Amino acid sequence: MGEKLEMNLAIVNDLIEERKEQYLQQLFSLLKQESISTTNVGVRECAQLLKEMMQASGIESRLIETEGHPVVYGEWLKAENAFTVLIYGHYDVQPPEPIEEWQSPPFEPTLREGRIYCRGVGDNKGQLMAQVLAIKTYLDSFGELPVNVKLVFEGEEENGSPHLASFVERHKELLACDLVYTSDGPMHVSGIPSVELGVRGILGVELVAHGAKWDHHSGNLGNIAPNPAWMLIDLLKTMRDEQGRVLIEGFYDNIRQPTAYELDLFRKLPFDRQELIKQIGYTDIEEDAETFYRLLSLEPTFNICGFHSGYGGDGSKTIIPAKASVKMDIRLVIDQDPDDIYQKLCRHVKKHAPAVEVLHQGDMRPSRTSAELEIVKVVVEAVKDAYSIDPLLVPGVGGSLPDYVWTQILGVPSVMVPYANADEANHAPNENMAVELFYKGISCTCHVLHRLGEFSRI
């Protein structure tokens, strides 16, 4: 079977090579269309453009409305009872600011030293288009796909996917499948391709404290008017000890312990401390490989992402501020429930600082697919075929994606295979994707579809 597989897919790779410039220009057309979901700039126009591109690639496509931005849905169905893979991605992008830090205009795709620079090229339009063009390539090579394929491209991922869960709930029959396949995020820093099986969830909260009705002179009313910044500092000290352990009662309840196989997979992941130091710009890193991956993937976080109070401009302004606020993102691991953690946090605040408001800023559940499933092994073999190297099998990553809608609402396994380079600078100025990785992504999707077709015939 391996020899037949290699012979068949040589046709695919030859066609990708022949169409490199054509495929690059198609990607550029999508990149030029702004689609900033948080400010609703160009989102519907991008959805319409993507739908037309999918139809031109041989995929029956339409827009499906949600309470927010539309989902672009596509399908190519081989047979009613055939194995079905659902490909997920998102066509919305982050705002480009700060504009002055871009070396070229953020929505004008520019080639420099083998990379495409443009907002959204890595996250997620380059990876999304690799999926679409893989289907076109496979269809043009063989006349049909080996499996049923459904595609769901949403327009709100960069805004926390607030309507994806309700969309999936409403369209369970339409979206019924055997596997969900996602290409999003960066590859491992080593450059080795990876198959990722889980993400952390997230809970966003804001704590708000009030003092007097307006700011006051820090001398005339010092020790008299309350300072809400100190209220929040004192509260935060009750929530976390000096070793970083969260002190909210019940915070660590329900966390699923990793299996021995998963722990062994983490131990096998490459780790280069000096490269990590270079990558993040922080020298005081002492963790070994096992500790690094445990902290990154198996443990929750309790992060302060913003603290605002009083005057922060040039010079000084001697005031007692009237208001202080802290924004937090709490990353959750498998089987932690964001609703449960939010209620526990509220109870903690009520006990220690009842005057402080707790505002819910959104959440997303964690997700995990078993590394021991047979279908996971099939995807691993397909990625190995595409890149000619054994991929890393990663039980879970530190970031958050709405992967739970597939594993918990649809109830199917979900795998993620990133196609973008590790230093893609997604969400930052000069976002980029290596041109060759874009083409590799097209090839990889073709290999995955082919292997799934072989698997479904066994």
Side-chain angles (χ1 to χ4, degrees):
M1 187 177 76
E3 196 173 306
K4 180 182 176 184
L5 178 76
E6 185 178 342
M7 181 183 67
N8 284 343
L9 286 171
I11 301 170
V12 165
N13 290 329
D14 288 345
L15 191 56
I16 294 171
E17 183 68 30
E18 179 185 318
R19 293 179 174 177
K20 276 188 170 182
E21 185 59 31
Q22 175 189 333
Y23 284 173
L24 194 63
Q25 292 307 314
Q26 286 183 257
L27 171 59
F28 282 11
S29 295
L30 189 66
L31 291 172
K32 290 175 183 177
Q33 174 58 60
E34 298 183 30
S35 53
I36 307 169
S37 54
T38 54
T39 56
N40 195 17
V41 174
V43 179
R44 183 167 290 275
E45 293 85 349
C46 188
Q48 181 64 32
L49 175 61
L50 177 57
K51 183 194 80 168
E52 292 168 1
M53 287 182 160
M54 290 164 61
Q55 288 174 329
S57 297
I59 304 164
E60 184 179 331
S61 306
R62 67 184 190 269
L63 301 188
I64 301 179
E65 299 298 332
T66 73
E67 297 89 339
H69 301 312
V71 164
V72 185
Y73 174 79
E75 61 184 22
W76 192 98
L77 303 181
K78 178 182 178 68
E80 185 176 343
N81 61 346
F83 185 96
T84 302
V85 58
L86 186 151
I87 294 173
Y88 165 76
H90 64 93
Y91 63 88
D92 64 319
V93 304
Q94 283 277 322
E97 286 79 9
I99 302 293
E100 65 275 8
E101 294 188 16
W102 285 80
Q103 294 182 32
S104 51
F107 289 102
E108 291 183 17
T110 305
L111 286 172
R112 291 198 302 272
E113 298 179 350
R115 297 192 181 204
I116 311 158
Y117 287 83
C118 193
R119 171 56 85 227
V121 64
D123 188 15
N124 179 240
K125 290 179 178 177
Q127 305 197 56
L128 175 158
M129 280 302 293
Q131 314 280 22
V132 172
L133 294 173
I135 292 172
K136 177 176 177 55
T137 303
Y138 203 103
L139 285 172
D140 289 349
S141 296
F142 304 116
E144 64 175 4
L145 300 181
V147 293
N148 291 339
V149 177
K150 300 177 180 180
L151 303 99
V152 171
F153 297 137
E154 68 157 318
E156 299 184 308
E157 195 274 344
E158 299 294 6
N159 201 25
S161 300
H163 302 112
L164 184 62
S166 59
F167 168 80
V168 174
E169 286 278 10
R170 282 198 308 271
H171 298 283
K172 279 185 179 180
E173 186 174 343
L174 175 69
L175 304 177
C177 61
D178 300 291
L179 174 72
V180 173
Y181 184 84
T182 301
S183 295
D184 197 356
M187 298 173 72
H188 191 270
V189 68
S190 65
I192 301 172
S194 59
V195 177
E196 301 168 351
L197 303 176
V199 293
R200 288 196 286 202
I202 188 170
L203 168 65
V205 297
E206 183 176 10
L207 307 177
V208 182
H210 297 275
K213 289 186 178 180
W214 50 79
D215 294 351
H216 286 287
H217 189 290
S218 65
N220 292 344
L221 285 173
N223 295 333
I224 303 300
N227 189 315
W230 282 115
M231 293 182 201
L232 291 183
I233 291 169
D234 292 341
L235 172 61
L236 291 168
K237 285 182 178 179
T238 70
M239 293 181 165
R240 183 178 178 272
D241 66 20
E242 293 181 357
Q243 287 71 47
R245 185 168 180 80
V246 178
L247 301 176
I248 295 171
E249 185 176 353
F251 183 82
Y252 294 99
D253 291 352
N254 306 318
I255 293 178
R256 187 192 309 174
Q257 295 304 306
T259 66
Y261 182 60
E262 288 172 332
L263 287 174
D264 188 53
L265 289 173
F266 278 118
R267 293 187 190 104
K268 291 177 179 177
L269 296 178
F271 177 73
D272 185 328
R273 184 183 290 104
Q274 293 307 312
E275 183 61 33
L276 179 64
I277 288 171
K278 179 182 175 183
Q279 180 188 1
I280 69 175
Y282 178 67
T283 57
D284 193 17
I285 294 176
E286 298 180 355
E287 286 82 8
D288 57 22
E290 186 172 343
T291 305
F292 171 77
Y293 287 112
R294 175 176 55 79
L295 292 173
L296 188 66
S297 305
L298 300 178
E299 294 192 12
T301 71
F302 200 70
N303 181 55
I304 295 172
C305 48
F307 197 129
H308 303 277
S309 185
Y311 179 71
D314 295 336
S316 64
K317 186 180 182 183
T318 52
I319 59 165
I320 301 169
K323 177 183 176 182
S325 64
V326 167
K327 288 185 182 290
M328 305 186 71
D329 67 82
I330 304 166
R331 302 283 173 164
L332 306 174
V333 294
I334 192 65
D335 289 350
Q336 281 186 302
D337 183 338
D339 293 334
D340 175 59
I341 297 298
Y342 178 69
Q343 294 303 321
K344 288 172 177 174
L345 180 105
C346 288
R347 287 196 292 270
H348 184 96
V349 172
K350 185 175 182 180
K351 176 181 177 180
H352 292 274
V356 172
E357 293 180 82
V358 184
L359 305 178
H360 188 280
Q361 300 287 333
D363 62 58
M364 189 179 293
R365 294 175 179 272
S367 176
R368 181 75 57 81
T369 289
S370 171
E372 299 181 61
L373 294 179
E374 194 64 33
I375 194 65
V376 170
K377 299 173 185 177
V378 173
V379 174
V380 168
E381 284 301 311
V383 176
K384 179 181 177 180
D385 293 337
Y387 291 91
S388 301
I389 188 174
D390 286 318
L392 306 173
L393 183 55
V394 185
V397 297
S400 301
L401 281 172
D403 193 56
Y404 77 96
V405 303
W406 317 122
T407 58
Q408 296 175 31
I409 298 178
L410 275 191
V412 297
S414 174
V415 298
M416 292 159 282
V417 181
Y419 293 162
N421 35 286
D423 57 348
E424 63 173 320
N426 51 335
H427 295 204
N430 303 305
E431 180 177 349
N432 67 90
M433 185 174 184
V435 178
E436 282 307 312
L437 289 181
F438 169 60
Y439 299 134
K440 273 289 186 184
I442 299 171
S443 175
C444 185
T445 301
C446 289
H447 279 81
V448 169
L449 295 177
H450 206 83
R451 279 282 184 184
L452 292 176
E454 296 285 353
F455 171 73
S456 66
R457 289 197 292 270
I458 296 175

